[in-house]
Structures are given as structure tokens and as C-alpha cells.
Amino acid sequence: MIPLRDIIPSRTTPVVTIALIVVNVLVFLYELSLGRGVDAFTLYWGLVPAAFSWVTVLTSMFLHGGILHVAGNMLYLWIFGDNVEDRMGHGRFLVFYLLCGVAAALAQTITAPDSLVPMVGASGAIAGVMGAYFVLYPKSRIVTLVPLFFFFQIIEVPAILFLGIWFLMQFVSGLGSIVTVAARSTGGIAFWAHVAGFVAGISGVVVFRRPERQRVEWWHDR
């Protein structure tokens, strides 16, 4: 399933969400400009669990391994980020986003502490945003593109179902990565970063959401 948008309008301009997307895209374009030097750049600024560094915990959130990687992450951030930022406020949302990314990075490091493969991507932080959306907007719906053999169908999927299935897939895949020895020494998807980010989002939203924006009076379920 490919999410296209949600159905909830935002009351405010999501300046932080837009800024994060712009920064991630600009960093990726810089990576492309490096040519063969991108591997050394990624190794230096990506998070290598076996050579853990708090600096790379932060910088790794803004690196990506390919165009599909960055495009997919930015699509999810755009769909879910604006409404969460709207409910939290700009400053709180930025802190929340970064803390979810830290939680995701630490979780992946704990599950593979001896890995020499650099971890990159905003997926963990964005998973936190998705976890917050799961709590804040359970009655929302996600307009989703569903491929059916040679045809494509656009349907509205309840947000709680879409995000619940996504989280379950990450958790099951994370369990599979534990029993796969090769996953500890080769590249792949950081499933436990996704799981931890989502859980951090569910937990942290209680602290970061603004009480005066508790009620979504400008949007009504239909």
C-alpha cells in the first residue's frame, strides 16, 4: 500500500515539516554530487554501532541510501508530519522529532552493537511522528494506492488500521532479523529503529502535545 495523503487539513503552515524535508533533500543531493566519495561520506557521518558516536546519532537522520529511500521517507513525513506539528506547535514538534530519531538510533545500536554497517535515514524519527499520529488522529483515514495485479485502486484506509499494520510488519520483520545472522554484518532495513521510533512517538506525544489544541474542532469525521 502506498499512502498518498490523509484527509485532515492543517490549521497552520507546517514550517518545521517543510524545513526537515528541504534539509533532507538538499543533503541527499549533496550525496549524489560526491559520486564515488559518497561511501566514505556515509561511513563518516552515518551511525556505525560498533563505533558509536552521539554526533552521528544526529547526522545519520539526514542521510539516505538512495532516491527511493529519501522519497519514501519524505512522503511519509509530509503526510503525517503536518498534523502532528499542528497539534504540538513548531518548536515542540522539532524536539519531539529529534528525540524519536535518537530513540530509534539507540534501539538499532542495542540490537546490533557490533555492526560495522552505517545506519542512515530519517525513518526512525518519522516512525515517531507516525506513532504520534496514531494516538492523535485514530479516526482519520489515509488515501492509499493499492496495486491489484495490473490495476491500481485508490481507497481510504482508517489511520489506526494503516499504521497498526505498518507497525506489526516492522515488529515481525525485526524478530526475523534477530535470527538472521547475516543481518548483523550486512546492510538492510533497520526494523528495530522503526519499532522504537513508533513506540517513542506513542509515548512522547502525551508530553509534547499542547493541551489547548486537544480538540480538533476544525475537522469533523465524515
Side-chain angles (χ1 to χ4, degrees), residues 100 124 126-132 134 163-164 166-167 193-203:
C100 287
I126 296 170
V129 175
M130 294 165 67
F134 182 83
L163 294 171
W166 181 89
F167 175 77
H194 299 171
V195 170
F198 194 88
V199 172
I202 289 177
S203 306

Side-chain angles (χ1 to χ4, degrees), residues 6-12 82-83 86 133 137 140 216 218-220:
D6 69 341
I7 64 170
I8 304 179
S10 181
R11 291 189 307 177
T12 58
D82 63 329
N83 299 116
D86 198 28
Y133 193 101
Y137 305 100
S140 177
V216 192
W218 70 96
W219 171 72
H220 300 281

